[in-house]
Amino acid sequence: MRQVEIFNLTKSYPNPYGETFRAVVDFNLNIEKGEFVGLIGHSGCGKSTVLTMLAGLNEISDGGIIVGDSEITGAGPDRAVVFQSPCLMPWMTAFGNVMLGVNNVYPHATKAQRKQIAEYALCAVGLADSMNKRPTEMSGGMQQRVGIARAIALKPTVLLLDEPFGRLDSLTRMELQDVILEILDREKITTVLVSHDVDEVVFLCDRVVMMTNGPAATIGEILSIDFERPRERTSMMKDPLYYQCLDHLLSYLTERAHLRTDPRIHDSSNLLGFTGAKVETAK
Amino acid sequence: MSAKYTILKGIDIAGLNFLSPVVRLATGEEPAKQMKEIGRLIVIPTLAFLAFFWLWAVVAPKHRTKSGEVPTPSVVWDARAGIWRFHNYETAKQDGFLLQGKERETELARATARIAEVGMLEKIARQQLTAAREASTVKFDTTVAPAKNAYDTLREISRESRKGRTAALKAEAATLNTATEEARLAFLQKLRDTQARTEIDKLELAKLKDRYEEAQEITFPEVKDATRANTVLAEEKQFLVKYIDMLGKDSRELKLAAAKTKLKETRTSFLTATEGDLYRLGSGIIKNEKFIKTTASSKYAKPWTLPKQIVRSLLCVFAGFLLASAIAIPIGILCGLSATFMAAMTPFIALFKPVSPLVWLPIIMIIIGGFMPDPENNAFLMFFDKVPFIKNYKIDPMFLSSAVTVALCSLWATLVNTALGVGAVDKDHMNVARVLRLGFWSRLFKIVIPTALPLIFAGLRISLGVGWMVLVAAEILSTSEGIGKFVNDMYTNGSSESFAQMFVVVFIVGIIGMLLDRIMVVFQRLVSFDSAVPAG
Ligand SMILES: Nc1ncnc2c1ncn2[C@@H]1O[C@H](COP(=O)(O)OP(=O)(O)OP(=O)(O)O)[C@@H](O)[C@H]1O
Ligand SMILES: [Mg+2]
């Protein structure tokens, strides 16, 4: 079942001289219900732009986005976002930060029910013991966990992650990747992850969307990662397919990201790596 | 957390950073470093203060004014005691007037015993004063008289010799009719020398004159001290005389008792009186009953003393500050939220912010006067007469005018800071609010105001400081009872004692202002989530 449909999505920013700067052009993508889609590309290509438009935080210049069965018009709790920085309210505890959204999204639930939802979300990210801590008393990793808890407590139809682990050290990042996987295996929420860490997207995603370089960035290739769920890091890392996928993504980023072709679809049957693969030149 | 860190945290929040090396030293943490810190934060400031006092003590007496010389620190310290004595005497009278029965009698006995004692002390003090005066005359004669003699003698001598020289030169000039050019030039030189000599004499004379005047100016600390001791005792005696009256024949209890006896007598005569006296006695009874009623609730009309004036000033500044906050915070929030509203407010802020309280006050006095043509029977003012505590401080139009002036001058800092704080809301937090679809009020109370709170408090802190400064000026101008009124009274009084009391006010105003600022710093720190607030 199709959950998200992005068609001809275009974003142009006005520059200070009155001309328009086209950051993203003709971005077309369909996302299935429960699917985990990764979005990678070089810095500045427009990944965040696409994601914020999907979140409704950034105006759409042309094209449109349909979530469920209606076109989006603005931000809303059905599309929860986890930002790169945790964006917690420093004057509220972890619990308070989660409750802020819960109170608003479940206005008809009783107080006890709302409390239960928030506590459940915090337990899911492993913060059962730190609910009453303030952000200033928490490490960056813990703060990001609160950010994730705040998002999943909203029971969103789509979960949007914009480099949520970008500022964390690699150990914490792996921990949080496991946390996310665990939650998604249970809740089956449609998810879009922006990242420039190829390991991360291969490990987490069902499909990886590779964006061409900006300006006027669009989709270059799409790669399906054919691993079963639930996934387990160590066994995945023993599989040669894992490295072939990594190679494909890296070779895209280093060799093909500047090319303008129609989007190419790849899966385990037609992977391109650093070696052996012939690349067609641009039209 | 250990007790030590709790204490250190408290010190940090209160902004009393100079205490933290003391605490650290007491717990033996890096003694050398702490000693250095103590030197910087405690010893140096203390030394600076001592240097200031020393300079003050040296420089002040050099300047004479119509209210005597500028008071030195010790004179100011005595003036403080004088203010306090006056307050205590007046409070004692107020309380004494209401004492009853046994208590009144013991207090009366105590006061009577004390007055005898004071009489004795006064006698001694007077003797000491006489002795000091005599000693000072002797000293005066031994220092001033010789200086005067020396001056007078030299003046006489130099005048005589000048006369002689002039005469000699004139005589010589008469002989020069036929003299050669050389002889004439030699004479001119002689003339020059003589005049130079006169100049030297003049300088010498001026030196002696200075010495003489200096000797005259020597003040005699013994005489001063003795005079002061006398004054203090005289003051106490004067108080005790009045106090004994209030405990005795003028006390409310005795007055009431006398009136009641009289009432009883008149009543008895009234009941048996004949027609001629009936009218007179009857109205006498009614008059007496009225008198008893008023006396029963009468109080000693205590004059305003500085401590009470300080409390009234504090009430006034808080009234103004609350008014300012009530206006500035909501408007500031609106300014921060809406650029349009900000644009509308900017000209007002720019225009009214620089206006001096001295301009606002008369205008406001007239406006408030217009609202309260009859302050004695004004419902709004009468409301305050029922509020406990506040009713003792006579809320009148002057008080309201001063408070409104304080508000008008101090609200700008809070307004501008609130607008800044609200405008500085994190864009990411706003995005979170959009995703969560928070309504206007939750955005306001859960995100906007908490973000702006540290800056709002920074503004309030400035406002309170400005308000306190403005208040004294406003009170001086409006003669509203308070610190300003005290200064004004002292200024009008013009004695050297009241001159010194004005200096006391400088310190009182300074210390209270400092305490108010400290309190605001604590609040400001409590609402700040991360960054430290500068304590200065
Ligand atoms: N508000 C804006 N106004 C003008 N140009 C913008 C604005 N936001 C982004 N851009 C431009 O749009 C392009 C895409 O930016 P975007 O933030 O989406 O990149 P990104 O892929 O998320 O990069 P990164 O990986 O560094 O986060 C960039 O060239 C950027 O300069
Ligand atoms: Mg980005």
Side-chain angles (χ1 to χ4, degrees), chain A residues 13 21 23 42-49 163 196:
Chain A
Y13 290 109
F21 168 77
H42 285 282
S43 182
C45 70
K47 306 181 291 292
S48 298
T49 304
E163 294 179 42
H196 35 219

Side-chain angles (χ1 to χ4, degrees), chain A residues 197-217:
Chain A
D197 179 353
V198 286
D199 284 286
E200 181 172 284
V201 287
V202 173
F203 176 51
L204 292 175
C205 299
D206 300 314
R207 264 196 308 161
V208 180
V209 174
M210 290 159 262
M211 286 182 71
T212 63
N213 291 347

Side-chain angles (χ1 to χ4, degrees), chain A:
Chain A
M1 197 181 102
R2 182 174 300 165
Q3 179 76 282
V4 179
E5 187 179 343
I6 304 173
F7 57 93
N8 298 338
L9 189 66
T10 298
K11 178 72 197 180
S12 18
Y13 290 109
N15 77 358
Y17 315 107
E19 300 155 353
T20 53
F21 168 77
R22 301 207 304 160
V24 177
V25 175
D26 284 337
F27 191 100
N28 289 290
L29 184 69
N30 294 329
I31 302 172
E32 295 299 309
K33 190 168 195 308
E35 196 182 11
F36 196 139
V37 173
L39 202 54
I40 64 166
H42 285 282
S43 182
C45 70
K47 306 181 291 292
S48 298
T49 304
V50 171
L51 197 87
T52 47
M53 283 194 286
L54 188 47
L57 294 171
N58 201 344
E59 226 174 292
I60 295 169
S61 306
D62 204 2
I65 299 172
I66 295 169
V67 173
D69 42 29
S70 57
E71 192 165 348
I72 63 162
T73 51
D78 57 325
R79 281 155 287 133
V81 191
V82 177
F83 299 92
Q84 182 171 10
S85 66
C87 290
L88 304 180
M89 313 296 156
W91 47 89
M92 292 177 181
T93 60
F95 180 74
N97 268 287
V98 177
M99 275 304 263
L100 182 65
V102 172
N103 280 336
N104 226 44
V105 174
Y106 307 94
H108 303 300
T110 64
K111 218 170 175 176
Q113 285 170 327
R114 278 182 263 167
K115 186 163 177 261
Q116 206 181 352
I117 294 169
E119 282 174 352
Y120 176 79
L122 280 163
C123 291
V125 296
L127 284 180
D129 298 331
S130 309
M131 289 191 195
N132 293 319
K133 282 197 177 150
R134 285 179 191 275
T136 43
E137 303 165 315
M138 288 191 278
S139 67
M142 288 163 87
Q143 291 184 31
Q144 198 54 284
R145 283 174 198 251
V146 179
I148 295 169
R150 177 173 63 191
I152 61 167
L154 304 177
K155 298 251 155 53
T157 45
V158 185
L159 180 62
L160 304 172
L161 310 170
D162 190 354
E163 294 179 42
F165 316 126
R167 291 197 186 164
L168 304 175
D169 61 279
S170 49
L171 263 177
T172 318
R173 190 182 310 170
M174 280 198 266
E175 272 175 27
L176 285 198
Q177 286 164 358
D178 290 337
V179 165
I180 287 273
L181 266 193
E182 207 177 293
I183 292 168
L184 293 184
D185 282 340
R186 203 164 44 225
E187 313 275 339
K188 309 262 185 288
I189 305 171
T190 314
T191 305
V192 180
L193 167 73
V194 166
S195 177
H196 35 219
D197 179 353
V198 286
D199 284 286
E200 181 172 284
V201 287
V202 173
F203 176 51
L204 292 175
C205 299
D206 300 314
R207 264 196 308 161
V208 180
V209 174
M210 290 159 262
M211 286 182 71
T212 63
N213 291 347
T218 187
I219 296 179
E221 295 180 5
I222 296 176
L223 171 67
S224 295
I225 313 280
D226 302 328
F227 278 100
E228 289 298 307
R229 289 185 188 273
R231 291 180 182 174
E232 207 266 315
R233 196 184 297 269
T234 39
S235 62
M236 243 174 110
M237 304 238 304
K238 286 189 189 120
D239 195 322
L241 179 60
Y242 178 79
Y243 296 95
Q244 285 165 353
C245 289
L246 279 187
D247 267 1
H248 183 100
L249 295 180
L250 282 172
S251 67
Y252 175 81
L253 289 175
T254 51
E255 293 167 9
R256 305 191 294 277
H258 61 280
L259 300 177
R260 298 290 154 139
T261 57
D262 284 333
R264 286 153 192 281
I265 315 294
H266 295 264
D267 57 24
S268 47
S269 61
N270 58 349
L271 283 166
L272 303 172
F274 278 118
T275 49
K278 268 260 161 57
V279 177
E280 290 174 33
T281 42
K283 296 176 195 172

Side-chain angles (χ1 to χ4, degrees), chain B residues 111-150:
Chain B
T112 320
R114 175 67 190 161
I115 204 169
E117 209 177 320
V118 169
M120 299 275 292
L121 291 173
E122 215 181 7
K123 214 176 271 167
I124 300 169
R126 212 171 289 139
Q127 277 164 6
Q128 274 168 351
L129 178 60
T130 326
R133 280 224 176 98
E134 267 160 21
S136 75
T137 340
V138 175
K139 208 166 171 189
F140 191 80
D141 288 346
T142 52
T143 54
V144 179
K148 186 171 169 15
N149 273 342

